[in-house]
Amino acid sequence: MMKFAMTVLFLNSLLLSGCVSDRAIYAEYGKLECGNNTPPPAPIEIVVDATEPWPTVINFGFDESHTVGAQHQKLMSAAMILKQNPSLNVAVIGSADSSGQNAYNDVLAKKRAKHITHALEQQGISASRIVTMSTGAREQFIMTNNKQRNRVNRRVQLILLGDDFNPVSLQYKTDTDHLSAQ
């Protein structure tokens, strides 16, 4: 009976006004929600002077939580860009592949995120500019049992954030921009 009453309330609300009030039924209705006429904000673009691109993903070896070689270099590039642009912040999101138990993967993903966060702090990035979280093995890029292919799931994502902690995209200055500024 309750389900029927809620359905009738929903349909009446939609038919009478063309939109759904969130006061009638407690849920998100997107475009059907009353008064939801504001478009989503445009992505913010930040112009940076950097020789290296922003490293969006840092990969790890199987059952590892420390960076080595090229992956460590990507981490140092991220630290350099953050140092050169003090208004930028970063979200550090640790992940694991689906090998092993969920509880273990949760701990491993958290270790990976903490390692990256600690390394950024060691490079002079304030902890207040870093949002650290982990997803365990719940956010897979690909589903596979192949150990080599699964490498893409053993990662930390670095999402660049503006001073309001919303994601931003980067535009890089070119040599032409440097010459015209002189």
Side-chain angles (χ1 to χ4, degrees):
M1 182 65 176
M2 182 65 155
K3 194 182 249 185
F4 176 74
M6 293 301 284
T7 303
V8 169
L9 180 62
F10 171 77
L11 292 175
N12 281 339
S13 178
L14 183 60
L15 292 174
L16 294 176
S17 67
C19 64
V20 178
S21 169
D22 62 355
R23 290 181 189 91
I25 303 171
Y26 301 102
E28 283 285 329
Y29 290 99
K31 293 179 182 178
L32 293 177
E33 188 172 1
C34 295
N36 190 12
N37 296 331
T38 54
I44 297 171
E45 290 185 353
I46 304 292
V47 178
V48 297
D49 185 10
T51 55
E52 299 290 324
W54 178 254
T56 58
V57 174
I58 296 175
N59 293 104
F60 292 82
F62 181 76
D63 205 28
E64 295 291 326
S65 60
H66 290 84
T67 54
V68 294
Q71 301 306 308
H72 186 73
Q73 193 56 42
K74 288 165 63 175
L75 173 58
M76 293 300 106
S77 294
M80 182 183 68
I81 291 172
L82 289 167
K83 277 196 261 189
Q84 292 172 347
N85 299 277
S87 66
L88 296 178
N89 301 296
V90 64
V92 176
I93 307 169
S95 297
D97 64 27
S98 58
S99 302
Q101 300 294 317
N102 285 337
Y104 182 81
N105 288 334
D106 288 344
V107 171
L108 181 58
K110 196 174 292 186
K111 280 184 184 177
R112 289 173 175 163
K114 284 182 178 180
H115 169 73
I116 299 298
T117 296
H118 180 72
L120 290 172
E121 290 171 351
Q122 292 297 310
Q123 293 298 311
I125 307 304
S126 169
S128 65
R129 296 175 59 196
I130 305 170
V131 177
T132 307
M133 61 190 91
S134 63
T135 63
R138 289 178 292 283
E139 300 285 329
Q140 302 289 294
F141 276 153
I142 62 169
M143 300 299 280
T144 182
N145 290 326
N146 180 298
K147 199 172 187 178
Q148 183 60 29
R149 287 184 183 168
N150 231 341
R151 184 167 192 260
V152 299
N153 293 319
R154 300 187 293 266
R155 70 193 188 281
V156 166
Q157 291 175 261
L158 299 176
I159 300 174
L160 199 57
L161 306 172
D163 58 3
D164 60 355
F165 286 88
N166 283 315
V168 297
S169 63
L170 288 181
Q171 294 292 322
Y172 295 93
K173 290 183 179 178
T174 63
D175 289 339
T176 309
D177 293 335
H178 290 295
L179 294 175
S180 64
Q182 295 176 353

